[in-house]
Amino acid sequence: MTVKRMRAPEHVIARDRKAVFMEDPTGDWRWAFDTRDPGVVYDAELDKEWEQSAEGLSEVLVHSALNEATYNARSWRACSAVEEDRLAEIVAPMSEVAFGGWRWPAPGCRIFMNELMVAEIGPAMGLHVPWEHRPGFAAVRVAANNPACLGYLDNMSAINWVTPPFVRSSDVRW
């Protein structure tokens, strides 16, 4: 895991029927399962009230794994402010995964995938604190282990993609 931290079993401590098992990288967001009904998951920002997740434990774990995959693939494209009318073109080769939804890093994040790629689409955040949603824009991250899979994104010249060094599909020689 790169984006979140799963606690080692000996560090999962139960308090008030909640056992925290996962945190975001800064420790500001936590996930806990219900000690009486382990399929039930709660999440909360640090020092805020716990809320029951729309996703059960198995779904949270799969959702987390796909979120992590967007950051751990060999090749990726990311843009923090894509105009929402471009999203259909970006996710066209993929299908949306029907997750119940979680609130981290912001409510409204969605996962799309096919057998070669995975994408996370979420609300674009404003440029200044407080980090509120930026209407009309979305944050996009598309990942694949084969750089050629992302070539169609490189042709979207109006989008200022951030890429890992030396892996633009146009630079790959097979």
Side-chain angles (χ1 to χ4, degrees):
M1 294 181 80
T2 302
V3 182
K4 293 172 291 312
R5 292 186 301 249
M6 189 76 67
R7 287 188 173 180
E10 63 272 16
H11 294 123
V12 175
I13 300 167
R15 286 195 187 101
D16 300 322
R17 290 185 51 183
K18 293 171 186 68
V20 176
F21 66 92
M22 189 168 65
E23 301 170 309
D24 76 349
T26 61
D28 291 339
W29 197 271
R30 303 160 299 150
W31 289 262
F33 62 84
D34 188 306
T35 58
R36 292 189 192 153
D37 186 356
V40 173
V41 174
Y42 300 92
D43 60 30
E45 195 169 352
L46 193 60
D47 299 325
K48 302 277 180 163
E49 292 295 318
W50 289 103
E51 289 188 31
Q52 185 172 340
S53 174
E55 300 176 0
L57 182 59
S58 60
E59 190 172 343
V60 164
L61 294 174
V62 172
H63 195 154
S64 177
L66 289 174
N67 166 259
E68 292 286 336
T70 67
Y71 286 87
N72 291 305
R74 283 185 348 156
S75 301
W76 50 267
R77 304 292 181 270
C79 183
S80 60
V82 173
E83 292 181 22
E84 287 179 344
D85 63 354
R86 302 295 308 267
L87 295 179
E89 180 182 8
I90 293 167
V91 300
M94 297 173 270
S95 298
E96 185 169 4
V97 179
F99 287 125
W102 60 2
R103 302 179 306 135
W104 182 87
C109 287
R110 298 160 46 204
I111 298 280
F112 294 80
M113 67 182 298
N114 63 25
E115 59 279 349
L116 301 171
M117 300 183 299
V118 61
E120 185 171 61
I121 310 292
M125 305 312 271
L127 301 175
H128 306 287
V129 175
W131 308 108
E132 295 176 348
H133 177 67
R134 188 173 171 200
F137 292 89
V140 175
R141 188 172 187 90
V142 184
N145 281 332
N146 182 342
C149 294
L150 304 176
Y152 78 104
L153 298 172
D154 296 335
N155 295 326
M156 297 179 187
S157 58
I159 299 174
N160 188 22
W161 295 111
V162 174
T163 64
F166 311 116
V167 294
R168 290 185 71 88
S169 60
S170 59
D171 295 338
V172 175
R173 303 288 181 243
W174 299 101

